Every structure is written in C-alpha cells, then in structure tokens.
C-alpha cells in the first residue's frame, strides 16, 4: 500500500515561549508543514513445515521550512517459523525500527536525531516426550542514535536462555529458564558524569 499525508506542527522544535526562536534556530517561527510519503509491503508464504512472513515500511518526510529535518526511515520484520521435525521447531525473527526523536525528548535543536533499533531473535522448542519440552533462545539487540551529541547512549546487548517446559494435555504450561544477558553502552554524551 502507498500513502501520502500533509501535516502541520506549530512548534517543531518544542521550544518554550520564553526562548526566542530566532536566537536558537535563526527563524522567527517554529511552525512548519511537512509531507510524508509511505509505502508498505506484507508477504506470507509456506513451504511444507516452514512458513515465512515479511513486513516492510519505507517513508520519506520533507519539511517545507526546516529542510535539515528531512528524513528517510525504513522498518522491517522478517520471521521464519522453522521446523526440522514435528518435535523440533522454533522461530527466527529479524527486525528493524527507525524513528526521528521528538525534540520534547531531545534538547539539541541544531541536529536531528534518528533512533534505529535492530533485533535478531532465535528460539527453539524440542519436544522430548510426554509433557516435557526443552526450550532455548538467543537474542541480540542494537540501539543506535545518529547524533553523537545526544542525551542517550547506544546499546548492544546479547542474551540467551535454556530451560524446561511442562505442557499439560489441556495445553497449559509451566516453564523454568536459566538466562544470561550481556550489554555494552557506547556514545556517551559529552556532559555525562560517570
């Protein structure tokens, strides 16, 4: 599907009335109109015991006055519901989400700041027999900001789990897991205190 919209914002930079906009952004007004064009795609396909899903959305936003805020964003999610046997199955998911940080949450009016989150998740479920299953999973997440002069930090995190699951005949389940997670921050703001 394809969509196109025209919007108006009377305070794009979320500046308080007490601060003259001409000093910070060189303009007597903080209002602007912007056009957003967006295209979406959704696919589903099955091959035997395997099924695949893919959703994507691409958008382009152009501002009439503040062209420095023009941006192109791309979101997607791909999912593979895999199965080697009826007893051994799982899910693999890859996704990305992008957004322009609202200036109400980001005080640096000189630069736009785009937030990108990428996630890769893999999980498996092995039916050992009777009501018992072995479950395991891995997850890697990346959270990045395009502007280094930011109040926020980039994050890369990896986690995993291994556990046992009891599934009753009524399909009620109890799961016990042992999990671990390791993460690393980067891109500290210049005024951060550690």
């Amino acid at each position: 599907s394809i969509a196109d919209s025209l919007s108006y914002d009377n305070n794009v930079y979320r500046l308080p009335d007490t601060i003259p906009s001409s000093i910070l952004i060189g303009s007597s007004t903080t209002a602007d109109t912007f056009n957003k064009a967006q295209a979406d795609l959704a696919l589903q396909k099955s091959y035997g015991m395997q099924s695949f899903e893919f959703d994507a959305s691409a958008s382009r936003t152009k501002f009439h006055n503040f062209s420095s805020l023009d941006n192109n964003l791309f979101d997607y999610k791909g999912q593979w519901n895999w199965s080697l046997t009826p007893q051994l199955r799982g899910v693999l998911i890859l996704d990305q989400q992008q957004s322009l940080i609202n200036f109400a949450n980001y005080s640096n009016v000189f630069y736009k700041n785009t937030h990108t989150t990428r996630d890769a998740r893999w999980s498996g479920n092995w039916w050992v027999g009777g009501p018992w299953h072995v479950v395991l999973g891995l997850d890697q997440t990346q959270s990045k900001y395009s502007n280094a002069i930011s109040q926020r930090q980039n994050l890369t995190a990896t986690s995993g789990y291994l556990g046992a699951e009891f599934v009753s005949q009524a399909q009620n389940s109890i799961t016990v897991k042992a999990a671990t997670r390791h993460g690393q921050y980067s891109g500290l703001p210049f005024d951060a205190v550690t």
Side-chain angles (χ1 to χ4, degrees), residues 29-30 41 47 70 84 95-96 100 104 121 128 142 159 188:
T29 178
T30 61
L41 175 68
Y47 299 95
D70 292 353
L84 298 182
D95 67 45
Q96 173 178 284
L100 185 67
R121 303 188 298 276
V128 181
Q142 290 183 321
S159 61
L188 280 169

Side-chain angles (χ1 to χ4, degrees), residues 36-169:
K36 181 178 180 180
Q38 182 170 317
D40 300 321
L41 175 68
L43 300 173
Q44 292 185 339
K45 194 68 176 179
S46 296
Y47 299 95
M49 293 189 296
Q50 318 302 315
S51 67
F52 302 88
E53 302 174 23
F54 182 75
D55 298 285
S57 178
S59 66
R60 182 178 185 182
T61 302
K62 293 184 68 65
F63 287 77
H64 179 70
N65 295 321
F66 304 116
S67 59
S68 61
L69 298 180
D70 292 353
N71 61 86
N72 300 307
L73 305 177
F74 182 55
D75 299 342
Y76 65 81
K77 180 180 179 181
Q79 180 170 324
W80 172 23
N81 301 303
W82 61 269
S83 180
L84 298 182
T85 70
Q87 293 77 29
L88 183 58
R89 53 187 171 78
V91 179
L92 174 64
I93 297 175
L94 302 175
D95 67 45
Q96 173 178 284
Q97 301 290 324
Q98 289 188 316
S99 61
L100 185 67
I101 298 298
N102 191 301
F103 282 97
N105 302 317
Y106 172 62
S107 60
N108 192 326
V109 299
F110 299 104
Y111 304 94
K112 68 182 177 184
N113 197 4
T114 302
H115 181 214
T116 301
T117 301
R118 296 188 180 95
D119 197 14
R121 303 188 298 276
W122 179 90
S123 64
N125 186 303
W126 175 33
W127 178 28
V128 181
W132 295 104
H133 296 246
V134 174
V135 295
L136 67 160
L138 297 171
D139 187 352
Q140 184 176 64
T141 299
Q142 290 183 321
S143 176
K144 293 185 177 181
Y145 295 87
S146 61
N147 183 10
I149 309 175
S150 172
Q151 288 87 358
R152 307 187 182 202
Q153 298 171 256
N154 298 329
L155 170 66
T156 300
T158 303
S159 61
Y161 67 84
L162 175 65
E165 182 179 45
F166 177 90
V167 183
S168 69
Q169 291 183 347

